[in-house]
Amino acid sequence: AGPLALARDLLAEGEEPFFVLNSDVICEFPFAALARFHRQHGGEGSLVVTRVEEPAKYGVVVIEPDTGRICRFVEKPRVFVSNKINAGLYIFSPGILKRIQLRPTSIEKEIFPAMAQEGQLYAMELQGFWMDIGQPKDFLTGMCMYLQALRAQHPEKLHSGPGVVGNVLVDPSAKIGANCVIGPNVTIGAGVVVEDGVRIKRCTVLQGARIRSHSWLESCIVGWSCSVGQWVR
Amino acid sequence: LKAVILIGGPQKGTRFRPLSFEVPKPLFPVAGVPMVQHHIEACAKVPGMKEILLMGFYQPHEALSRFLLSAQQEFKIPIRYLQEYAALGTGGGIYHFRDQILSGGAEAFFVLNADVCSEFPLQEMLEFWQGHRDAQSFVILGTTANRTQALNYGCIVANSDTQEVQHYVEKPSTFVSEIINCGIYLFTPAIFQHIGEVFQRNQQELVLEESSNGWQRAEVIRLEQDVFTALAGSGKLYVYKTDGFWSQIKSAGSAIYASRLYLNQYSKSHPERLAQNKPGGPVIRGNVYIHPTASINSTAVLGPNVSIGEGVTVGAGVRVRESIVLHGASLHDHTCVLNTIVGWDSTIGRWARVEGTPSDPNPNDPYAKIDSETLFRDGRLTPSITILGCSVTIPAEVVILNSIVLPHKELSRSYKNQIIL
């Protein structure tokens, strides 16, 4: 949170609330709804929570049911307390900057608990999918969720054709060879070349990579400009 | 001049399972042709060879009879199968059938073990023996091994000038000599006198003591332990040393190594058996044998050291290397088969990867031999050649690594380092 103090002048200027986002999170980003929610309750800050199946793996948020005001945070609870966790999307009024000093600061550990005690922090529940994509394997899970949401909202953006199975996103500049079977859950970046006879499942292939013929890829992240040889598994 | 090829029986060659379940080990194809056909071809080439006798204790077998018939027609020499009534050891069988072997007045005869792969320098052995012209001299073919591996074979100590064998010991526990027994011998009729002495001695011992092993018979005679050890130092046994290629074929992994040795030899002896790169044909790398009835997609890449059997189909974009694919097998599109023996009529589904670990001898040591691997070490399966038994089905997109799959098994997922019953 310390860096927010660095931007103090820029943020305080308009007297308007500002969003703060953790970049390693993927979801359907309800910015309009969040802004509305924040103005309605008039508190200093709002954060988005999402429902999870195993809350003990995370820090959970205890919320007053009618108002949405946050009572407290509990880190990795041993007994069930709540199934809502902090989704890493916030909106704050400029007044919060008075709480933040220019030093390394954890907003979750140092700023939020104080705000919650003062009744200044509110929670809005997220609709739709959410994933912390900080780890590569979670990145792929998040990618699958994203593609599934895309199928529901903008199916025309997904790739279709011979050899395409399930949800597949392909950059227009990518080239895919003959007799390939791509998908489900594959994203293919700009300038990628996939040669003949390749099978790709649940992967992200980043820009400029080349997958040579007859290879088989599952649950992989192929980095920028990588080359994967023939008959590779 | 005659030749006897010892082919063993069902109780022998068990390290070759599950491949030996379907077909007697001596008929297993090595470099596209039954193991023992290489022996027969080498014997038939020796001038003066009158008859080839296959000796073993397999029951009469359709595949064996068919093979003998076609071999006789191809090599134009009488070939017979002599069935031992029991496993009589490497010496007991030839002793039992000595009249058959000597019939027609044979001056000398070769004895060859079927489970070796060799250049068969039989002509050279004959000339070496003729230099002695002694009815009482016998020749063992020997080759050089390295000091550690020599302990796994019969070791020969010989006089460096005369090549007379001074000492012979089978699988010693300490180092004796780097010269090892290749399992190929040249005998005269006089050998039977020496084997007969062992036979008499055995009979006397049986009378004297209760044999703890009830199946031990007086007629079981091992040439190596019982005869050679005694003959060493008597001026009758000689070794002919060769530098030509030689290997034992005990396990499935060694069949792939032996294939490579014979395929290399084909460039001189049978160039017509080696596949060539042709427009519209598959890409061939190194030495590859393809049976004329096999059907190979033009985008497949085969070799080096690949044998493709009768009626095999190989689909588009398939990669096969260091492998033997047996009759009727089917490799679907984009599969990758490395260091594997694919059993008769097996199927490998699309994009599957079937891979083993080669057990080749150290290429930097010219005298290194293939290891006689034990299947397990410290309770774990040693990484080795992958073997698919007959009629095995591998589904699409799985990986089978360092595993042995028994016949008629239909797999449903990937496996690594397992024996799948």
Side-chain angles (χ1 to χ4, degrees), chain A residues 23-104:
Chain A
S23 57
D24 57 358
V25 152
I26 185 86
C27 64
E28 282 170 295
F29 297 110
F31 292 127
L34 187 56
R36 260 198 314 273
F37 174 81
H38 184 72
R39 275 184 228 282
Q40 270 181 340
H41 66 69
E44 213 172 72
S46 310
L47 55 81
V48 173
V49 292
T50 182
R51 209 174 113 152
V52 290
E53 281 184 6
E54 292 189 59
K57 295 205 287 203
Y58 307 88
V60 303
V61 184
V62 181
I63 307 161
E64 203 172 84
D66 303 315
T67 59
R69 190 183 301 136
I70 294 180
C71 311
R72 65 185 191 285
F73 295 87
V74 183
E75 203 43 41
K76 293 190 179 40
R78 289 195 304 133
V79 293
F80 184 87
V81 166
S82 157
N83 59 7
K84 309 284 188 293
I85 62 161
N86 179 354
L89 272 64
Y90 319 126
I91 181 170
F92 302 125
S93 301
I96 198 181
L97 294 167
K98 292 200 268 295
R99 301 179 186 265
I100 301 174
Q101 296 168 329
L102 186 57
R103 61 170 177 79

Side-chain angles (χ1 to χ4, degrees), chain A residues 154-174:
Chain A
H154 295 285
E156 71 284 359
K157 290 194 176 162
L158 291 173
H159 199 68
S160 57
V164 175
V165 178
N167 301 331
V168 174
L169 199 56
V170 179
D171 189 278
S173 63

Side-chain angles (χ1 to χ4, degrees), chain A residues 178-181 196-201 213-216 218 230-233, chain B residues 285 299-301 316-319 334-336 350-353 397-399 414:
Chain A
N179 300 318
C180 292
V181 180
D196 296 344
V198 173
R199 178 85 183 88
I200 309 183
K201 285 197 281 204
S213 51
H214 315 298
S215 288
W216 184 94
E218 183 180 36
Q230 292 181 296
W231 289 289
V232 163
R233 184 181 177 94
Chain B
R285 298 197 182 149
T299 55
V301 179
V318 171
R319 181 79 183 93
H334 319 297
T335 54
C336 187
R350 297 194 312 165
W351 279 293
R353 186 182 183 94
E397 303 191 32
V398 299
V399 60
S414 294

Side-chain angles (χ1 to χ4, degrees), chain B residues 52-240:
Chain B
I52 299 178
L53 303 164
L54 262 59
M55 190 175 298
F57 48 100
Y58 286 100
Q59 294 295 347
H61 196 279
E62 198 210 315
L64 189 55
S65 324
R66 245 185 301 131
F67 168 73
L68 290 175
L69 214 56
S70 66
Q72 279 199 97
Q73 289 169 345
E74 182 172 347
F75 298 103
K76 314 228 182 332
I77 184 170
I79 308 179
R80 280 192 297 146
Y81 174 54
L82 299 174
Q83 183 184 350
E84 298 167 59
Y85 60 90
L88 297 177
T90 46
I94 58 174
Y95 186 67
H96 180 79
F97 286 114
R98 56 193 179 282
D99 296 328
Q100 305 253 14
I101 296 171
L102 298 179
S103 77
E107 201 184 17
F109 61 100
F110 288 98
V111 173
L112 306 88
N113 279 304
D115 60 358
V116 298
C117 150
S118 170
E119 224 175 7
F120 299 113
L122 304 179
Q123 183 73 0
E124 293 87 322
M125 279 172 82
L126 196 57
E127 283 163 17
F128 172 75
W129 172 78
Q130 282 164 343
H132 293 266
R133 256 298 166 233
D134 180 358
Q136 278 282 340
S137 72
F138 319 118
V139 183
I140 305 179
L141 183 68
T143 191
T144 318
N146 65 34
R147 288 179 73 101
T148 5
Q149 289 179 325
L151 303 181
N152 298 321
Y153 300 92
C155 296
I156 303 170
V157 179
N159 179 302
S160 44
D161 298 314
T162 63
Q163 306 307 327
E164 189 206 317
V165 174
Q166 295 159 327
H167 189 70
Y168 181 93
V169 57
E170 184 69 17
K171 296 190 181 52
S173 50
T174 52
F175 177 77
V176 166
S177 165
E178 292 140 340
I179 308 298
I180 59 168
N181 175 3
C182 289
I184 296 170
Y185 319 122
L186 178 57
F187 293 139
T188 62
I191 192 78
F192 294 121
Q193 179 198 332
H194 299 285
I195 303 181
E197 282 163 13
V198 176
F199 178 64
Q200 301 297 337
R201 234 183 306 134
N202 284 354
Q203 283 211 306
Q204 285 169 353
E205 276 175 22
L206 264 187
V207 168
L208 286 176
E209 54 180 278
E210 294 274 316
S211 188
S212 53
N213 180 2
W215 202 225
Q216 193 76 359
R217 315 166 74 105
E219 303 90 54
V220 175
I221 298 164
R222 302 158 301 175
L223 272 178
E224 299 78 14
Q225 290 90 328
D226 301 329
V227 180
F228 293 164
T229 317
L231 280 177
S234 66
K236 302 193 177 70
L237 200 53
Y238 290 82
V239 63
Y240 177 77

